[in-house]
Amino acid sequence: MALSLSGDDEEYDSECEQQQRAANRPKQPQQQQQQPQPKMGTSSAAVKLPSNRSSSGARRRRTRCRKCEACLRTECGECHFCKDMKKFGGPGRMKQSCIMRQCIAPVLPHTAVCVVCKEAGKEDTLEEEEDKFNFMLMECSICNEIVHPSCLKVSDASGVVNDELPNCWECPKCNHAGKSGKQKRGPGFKYASNLPGSLLREQKPVKEEGDVVSSAAKRRPDREETPRPEDKLRKKRKLFDDDEDEDLGVRKKEKSDDPYFSKLLHQIKTEEDDEDAYEEENEEGREPHFRGGVERKGRLGDAEEEGDDRDSRNELLNPFIKTPVGDSDQSHCSSPQAGPSSEGGSETQEKGQRPKARRKRRLPNRELSRELSKALNQEIQKTEDCLANENRQPLKVEPETENEEPKKLFRNGSELGDQRPHLKTKEMNGTPWELRHFYPSPITPLGFNRSTPTNRPAPPHSPPKCVQMERHVIRPPPISPPPDRLPLKDGKTHVIQREVWMKIFGYLTHQELCVCMRVCKTWNRWCCDKRLWTKIDLNRCTSITPLMLSGIIRRQPVSLDLSWTNISKKQLSWLINRLPGLRVLKLSGCSWAAVSALCTSSCPLLRSLDVQWVEGLKDAQMRDLLSPPTDNRPGQLDNRCKLRNVEDLRLAGLDITDTSLRLISRQMPLLSNLDLSYCNHINDQSVNLLTAAGTTTRDSLTEINLSVCNRVTDHSLNFFKRCGSICQIDLRFCKQVTKTACERFIAEMSVSVPFRLKEDKLLQKSS
DNA sequence: AAAAACGTATCA
DNA sequence: TGATACGTTTTT
């Protein structure tokens, strides 16, 4: 089908698509009634597809890249889809891949060919990035046509590369025609709405009116007629309204920010090439901006004008945004890991002329500060506007722009209006996610509210706006995005290789990375490397916007701190379902309403969970949290505790009792570090439960924090004697615990395990 | 030829 | 709005 794209479609109506499918399905009882008409008449799917998009060809199905983390996994055998498989004893009706194996960067099938020349992608035969780009197959997310950029005749138009998806762009024709990217998110699919738990909804193309855009897009002929994206945008905005409009006007470029880099910049070729496009971006900060923005705002403050801000926002916010293709980047990014097709393409960095493409980036950062958030918001709006405009205007290739995706976001979603929070980033670069402790938690027991254990810092409450995420495909950034060396103006390349730069970037904070991202396309790309964003910290970010969520997904952090944010359940659920590799999740200070998202999702790899001071989290909620997933979303069924692999659990400030501890001792066999500070209902019996014979916690516990637990007495120390691995017992500020008892404990334990009093009532194994 | 699985229609 | 079903596509 895919191939067939265009030509024929005209005949069909846009609606066909859906119907087509319907037609295909003979079976369903009800269907008959409704019978979608088979306009297509026939049923062959292939045929049908084409018809759908009238104007363009049918969308081509994509296939797994076989290289990404997901593709390399083995089937879990536990998700809904696996259970349906015959190999796992199921009926085999669903025919879906294992949830854990949903490809992150689906590629065009090998059978895909250029609509114009009918040949496959040839990027593998070329060396220059530009060439590669020009000869690789690119699928338009709007008209679905698959072509070699070099086969296009449109000269001045530029395409907008979608970095998120390999070989995906908004072709010059569509772009020039002002078609909006419609919601289509390009070929990539499942990740979003189809997945269980996805919050995004699929947009059903034709059907809904809302999709004006999409439908429009579908039709080729009528492009012009098609409703403009703007419409949608407006709608969206309304939904989220932002206040950022004003900002839009503001943005500008920042170029100058870092005088420091200026020299470098001059030398860097990238920019030049892209020149226009590129510069704009840089200067204006589109991609760079957004990043820069973040940082700057965070740090620099105003430095960036709007441009920067935008970028940063985009990144964070719009995960979907694609990087400007400009160069080869697009491809890189998009499918860094992905398959073949993507590979080839990826490099085109600067190519140029031909179809120019632009891409956008997004940076998810944690460091967004409020300022940043504002900036982000602005950017978002801008982006929206831009998107609307951009569609009509051809972009040039840029290395890292992120327009494309953002567009989608906006369109679909909601994004625009969001509130952009500020993300703050700390530096996570390179940090091993292994942290088992959440240091940062603002709420450290002993820290502030010592005296008022029960009071929790008021979490920022901002009503989460409705986040409607569309179903976009959110993909993680590529690892080691090309090029290998920094292109210089004189046509040569910098002596230092990418990996060396990467090591250097590894020492930078997120803010600094954002600054670097504004330097040039190449750096922009490199700095977006997933390895540099293993930890994302949005602690106390006043509002979590859809774009931010997208940005997070794209970066696939191993550690995510959403403490004291007003994230909603829907948002959290959406995130969790898309962060299969998440190990550390901090939700302290969030509402139970939000945290309850954990009840319906499975986080098999979660090792550290922080739910301190979560309002409304009591025994009943703990039960829900620890019981097997209740939800029926596919892939979510599991009879085991959702948090069975948690080693570090932070429950400070919760009104939980022995009921919860009993569950914990049974359901969390790997629990090593438990924080129960400020839990006023915890008493000696609680400790007894945790250390009772037959419990796994008895041997797994290495650290326990019972500080400010006024019901705990000296007697608890006796229970800890039976813990084989205990290394630290924090009983500070426990009114009923005496120093004498602690000393006695040390004396008695000294025979086998030497302990010491690190602080008053803070027992620590002295190794 | 068969297995895998994409993408969407339809069901609930 | 999520879950299920399934024709078709794509790979093996």
Side-chain angles (χ1 to χ4, degrees):
Chain A
M1 342 172 45
L3 302 182
S4 51
L5 342 162
S6 19
D8 336 12
D9 337 17
E10 307 172 343
E11 309 172 356
Y12 309 82
D13 291 339
S14 54
E15 350 130 13
C16 300
E17 355 174 85
Q18 300 176 346
Q19 303 175 348
Q20 311 169 354
R21 304 239 159 169
N24 297 337
R25 328 183 129 208
K27 300 184 175 181
Q28 315 205 343
Q30 301 180 347
Q31 301 176 352
Q32 307 168 345
Q33 309 172 349
Q34 306 178 347
Q35 259 249 8
Q37 28 299 62
K39 296 185 175 180
M40 321 262 342
T42 348
S43 30
S44 46
V47 178
K48 298 175 178 182
L49 293 177
S51 54
N52 301 341
R53 320 172 163 215
S54 38
S55 22
S56 31
R59 183 195 291 174
R60 176 134 202 132
R61 167 186 296 209
R62 285 192 173 234
T63 154
R64 61 169 66 253
C65 68
R66 288 179 228 154
K67 296 179 178 179
C68 69
E69 200 173 318
C71 285
L72 296 175
R73 280 188 194 185
T74 54
E75 287 160 329
C76 70
E78 301 175 351
C79 69
H80 256 43
F81 297 145
C82 278
K83 287 177 177 171
D84 165 77
M85 298 175 191
K86 290 185 176 177
K87 69 169 80 167
F88 291 113
R93 282 179 301 211
M94 298 173 79
K95 297 185 278 191
Q96 301 296 304
S97 73
C98 168
I99 283 222
M100 301 304 284
R101 298 189 64 240
Q102 306 260 342
C103 180
I104 291 171
V107 301
L108 288 172
H110 294 141
T111 54
V113 297
C114 171
V115 187
V116 180
C117 68
K118 312 299 180 192
E119 294 185 35
K122 314 164 191 171
E123 66 270 18
D124 292 342
T125 63
L126 305 168
E127 311 243 322
E128 293 288 319
E129 293 188 353
E130 285 192 25
D131 292 337
K132 286 192 174 190
F133 173 76
N134 287 320
F135 289 94
M136 69 190 290
L137 290 177
M138 291 299 291
E139 177 188 36
C140 176
S141 59
I142 297 173
C143 69
N144 300 309
E145 281 195 353
I146 296 175
V147 301
H148 289 122
S150 63
C151 288
L152 293 178
K153 298 174 182 178
V154 191
S155 52
D156 40 272
S158 58
V160 180
V161 176
N162 176 340
D163 275 349
E164 302 187 348
L165 198 60
N167 306 75
C168 180
W169 71 342
E170 287 184 7
C171 71
K173 280 192 291 186
C174 292
N175 191 28
H176 191 28
K179 292 189 175 182
S180 56
K182 48 177 69 217
Q183 0 151 311
K184 266 183 169 187
R185 49 238 168 188
F189 13 85
K190 296 190 153 189
Y191 238 111
S193 59
N194 287 340
L195 288 185
S198 72
L199 305 184
L200 306 183
R201 69 183 37 269
E202 284 189 28
Q203 12 179 2
K204 300 194 165 189
V206 182
K207 300 179 177 180
E208 313 187 347
E209 6 78 82
D211 303 3
V212 183
V213 176
S214 57
S215 39
K218 295 179 179 180
R219 311 178 163 195
R220 290 186 173 176
D222 339 318
R223 304 170 179 175
E224 301 111 13
E225 324 165 0
T226 56
R228 294 290 169 139
E230 295 99 302
D231 298 321
K232 271 207 159 180
L233 294 177
R234 291 176 195 159
K235 290 184 181 179
K236 293 182 178 179
R237 284 191 178 177
K238 290 182 180 178
L239 293 178
F240 311 85
D241 19 62
D242 320 73
D243 342 298
E244 301 105 19
D245 297 277
E246 321 142 359
D247 308 315
L248 299 176
V250 188
R251 58 143 118 180
K252 285 216 137 182
K253 339 211 124 208
E254 63 285 30
K255 306 189 136 185
S256 40
D257 313 38
D258 317 79
Y260 174 152
F261 293 113
S262 50
K263 293 181 180 179
L264 242 183
L265 295 178
H266 294 297
Q267 301 183 2
I268 299 177
K269 167 188 185 178
T270 353
E271 314 200 353
E272 299 176 346
D273 299 296
D274 306 358
E275 318 161 348
D276 321 41
Y278 190 53
E279 291 183 351
E280 293 183 355
E281 293 183 351
N282 291 334
E283 299 179 350
E284 302 190 1
R286 295 182 177 177
E287 292 190 354
H289 300 339
F290 80 74
R291 300 174 181 176
V294 173
E295 297 176 351
R296 293 179 179 179
K297 294 192 169 182
R299 302 180 167 186
L300 311 181
D302 355 313
E304 359 242 32
E305 310 98 78
E306 318 172 323
D308 297 342
D309 304 358
R310 285 185 166 185
D311 293 352
S312 46
R313 300 163 195 166
N314 292 333
E315 289 189 349
L316 301 178
L317 310 182
N318 315 315
F320 310 110
I321 299 181
K322 307 180 175 183
T323 35
V325 176
D327 313 312
S328 33
D329 307 358
Q330 348 163 354
S331 25
H332 320 316
C333 299
S334 19
S335 51
Q337 316 168 344
S341 30
S342 47
E343 300 176 343
S346 12
E347 315 187 11
T348 36
Q349 310 179 348
E350 319 193 330
K351 43 214 60 292
Q353 7 314 30
R354 265 281 130 149
K356 305 180 177 181
R358 140 186 308 188
R359 45 152 84 152
K360 296 187 173 183
R361 291 186 174 180
R362 28 161 140 190
L363 299 181
N365 307 319
R366 6 155 155 177
E367 323 178 328
L368 308 183
S369 58
R370 299 174 184 177
E371 300 176 332
L372 292 178
S373 62
K374 291 181 183 176
L376 292 175
N377 292 331
Q378 299 178 356
E379 277 221 67
I380 293 178
Q381 289 191 343
K382 294 178 180 179
T383 309
E384 288 186 27
D385 297 342
C386 294
L387 292 178
N389 300 326
E390 291 183 14
N391 294 332
R392 316 161 191 160
Q393 310 171 354
L395 302 179
K396 298 187 176 179
V397 182
E398 305 270 336
E400 334 212 312
T401 341
E402 327 162 326
N403 306 328
E404 304 178 351
E405 297 236 70
K407 297 179 179 179
K408 292 183 179 180
L409 295 178
F410 298 90
R411 300 169 184 167
N412 297 322
S414 39
E415 19 323 14
L416 309 178
D418 357 0
Q419 4 14 79
R420 334 13 246 265
H422 353 291
L423 307 181
K424 311 175 172 182
T425 356
K426 299 176 174 181
E427 30 238 339
M428 332 181 351
N429 309 339
T431 8
W433 58 273
E434 355 171 320
L435 3 161
R436 304 198 170 176
H437 303 274
F438 311 156
Y439 304 108
S441 60
I443 335 149
T444 310
L446 299 180
F448 45 74
N449 333 332
R450 218 171 251 176
S451 51
T452 53
T454 49
N455 302 331
R456 355 183 130 187
H461 274 303
S462 18
K465 301 185 175 182
C466 46
V467 178
Q468 285 188 348
M469 306 217 47
E470 318 172 354
R471 140 201 219 177
H472 353 257
V473 179
I474 302 175
R475 308 198 180 277
I479 292 180
S480 298
D484 290 325
R485 288 172 189 274
L486 193 62
L488 301 177
K489 288 186 177 181
D490 58 7
K492 297 179 180 177
T493 57
H494 195 281
V495 294
I496 300 179
Q497 292 183 304
R498 179 188 58 218
E499 288 310 310
V500 174
W501 282 111
M502 291 305 294
K503 287 184 179 175
I504 295 171
F505 292 142
Y507 287 98
L508 305 181
T509 62
H510 281 185
Q511 291 184 324
E512 290 165 339
L513 279 175
C514 288
V515 172
C516 291
M517 289 172 119
R518 301 185 336 222
V519 172
C520 65
K521 305 174 187 178
T522 302
W523 273 28
N524 185 295
R525 223 175 278 149
W526 290 350
C527 290
C528 202
D529 193 295
K530 172 181 180 180
R531 294 170 293 179
L532 300 175
W533 301 89
T534 55
K535 291 175 62 181
I536 292 182
D537 183 357
L538 293 176
N539 191 320
R540 293 181 188 276
C541 193
T542 56
S543 69
I544 300 296
T545 66
L547 288 176
M548 292 170 75
L549 298 180
S550 301
I552 293 170
I553 299 298
R554 294 209 64 195
R555 296 178 173 61
Q556 289 290 304
V558 166
S559 173
L560 179 60
D561 188 349
L562 292 168
S563 299
W564 306 96
T565 63
N566 66 334
I567 189 167
S568 67
K569 178 177 182 177
K570 188 173 184 179
Q571 291 177 315
L572 183 58
S573 176
W574 189 85
L575 273 178
I576 295 172
N577 284 304
R578 288 168 182 69
L579 295 174
L582 191 65
R583 257 69 167 189
V584 179
L585 179 59
K586 301 182 182 183
L587 298 171
S588 63
C590 291
S591 65
W592 164 251
V595 176
S596 63
L598 291 172
C599 296
T600 53
S601 303
S602 188
C603 317
L605 297 180
L606 198 63
R607 294 291 186 275
S608 182
L609 176 63
D610 183 346
V611 289
Q612 304 179 80
W613 306 97
V614 165
E615 279 191 65
L617 177 40
K618 300 181 180 178
D619 288 335
Q621 290 70 33
M622 276 301 295
R623 184 191 59 218
D624 292 340
L625 209 50
L626 297 175
S627 59
T630 52
D631 121 347
N632 15 340
R633 290 173 296 174
Q636 303 295 324
L637 297 183
D638 192 330
N639 295 323
R640 295 171 298 177
C641 170
K642 297 177 288 290
L643 305 175
R644 61 183 178 280
N645 290 320
V646 168
E647 299 170 355
D648 187 346
L649 184 61
R650 306 280 162 160
L651 303 173
L654 302 182
D655 293 328
I656 54 173
T657 69
D658 294 350
T659 303
S660 293
L661 292 181
R662 195 171 286 116
L663 284 174
I664 290 171
S665 66
R666 292 174 182 167
Q667 310 282 9
M668 308 179 89
L670 305 178
L671 189 60
S672 171
N673 197 329
L674 178 61
D675 184 353
L676 292 170
S677 57
Y678 292 99
C679 289
N680 294 321
H681 296 290
I682 296 301
N683 53 34
D684 294 334
Q685 175 56 19
S686 310
V687 176
N688 183 24
L689 286 171
L690 286 173
T691 60
T695 61
T696 51
T697 43
R698 176 177 187 163
D699 295 315
S700 64
L701 276 179
T702 58
E703 286 187 35
I704 186 163
N705 188 344
L706 294 169
S707 59
V708 203
C709 286
N710 297 323
R711 295 192 183 184
V712 171
T713 72
D714 291 345
H715 195 54
S716 284
L717 284 169
N718 292 321
F719 295 133
F720 285 120
K721 292 176 187 171
R722 50 198 192 191
C723 291
S725 308
I726 198 72
C727 295
Q728 180 164 303
I729 304 170
D730 191 345
L731 295 168
R732 288 176 295 174
F733 308 97
C734 288
K735 297 176 183 175
Q736 299 193 58
V737 172
T738 63
K739 184 173 182 179
T740 307
C742 292
E743 293 172 336
R744 189 191 316 136
F745 174 85
I746 292 175
E748 294 176 8
M749 290 294 283
S750 63
V751 180
S752 55
V753 187
F755 267 84
R756 68 185 177 105
L757 267 182
K758 185 179 180 183
E759 267 183 49
D760 184 40
K761 301 181 203 172
L762 172 53
L763 297 158
Q764 189 176 63
K765 182 178 176 180
S766 48
S767 49

